[in-house]
Amino acid sequence: MPARIVEIVDDLIKVQVSGLLTSTELAEVQKRTAQHIDETGPIRYLIVADNFLGWAKEGDWGNVSFQAEYDAYIEKMALVGNKEWEELVVLFTGQGVRRFPIRYFLHAEIDKAHAWIMEPA
């Protein structure tokens, strides 16, 4: 599966993304995140993209209901991936528009990403 939650530890949700991301897979990650937020409160995202190939053309990419309802409960988002995807991934996640800080890190900086995501928001 190209997008899946691989670990939840307290308020940190770790997501693995690989291959071609579909809107259905993203919606499933968002659904599980919403359930966790409803049960425990605010979260942080650490999203790692390995062998990421982009976004599938099909699907409902315009659905922003998760953002509208849950952005207030996301404290930070760290994205880890290849340099070639940085601009598009940051644009896709809405860096600078959403209510919480979003930072992109290269794979070699995974430890730095983890340290940043754990710092106070």
Side-chain angles (χ1 to χ4, degrees), residues 67-114:
Q67 287 86 342
E69 188 170 350
Y70 289 99
D71 265 13
Y73 302 98
I74 300 173
E75 294 180 347
K76 293 173 121 178
M77 181 185 295
L79 306 156
V80 179
N82 294 334
K83 181 69 176 163
E84 67 182 285
W85 288 107
E86 182 174 5
E87 259 184 61
L88 289 174
V89 168
V90 166
L91 181 64
F92 179 79
T93 59
Q95 182 186 43
V97 179
R98 296 177 81 179
R99 301 177 187 184
F100 53 87
I102 300 172
R103 280 195 53 195
Y104 194 90
F105 299 85
L106 300 178
H107 283 289
E109 301 172 313
I110 186 79
D111 292 338
K112 188 176 178 181
H114 196 272

Side-chain angles (χ1 to χ4, degrees), residues 11-40:
D11 68 342
L12 180 62
I13 296 179
K14 296 180 183 179
V15 177
Q16 181 78 37
V17 179
S18 63
L20 198 60
L21 180 63
T22 68
S23 63
T24 303
E25 291 160 348
L26 177 61
E28 183 59 32
V29 167
Q30 291 173 333
K31 178 182 171 185
R32 289 197 53 212
T33 297
Q35 291 168 341
H36 187 72
I37 290 171
D38 290 343
E39 292 170 7
T40 66

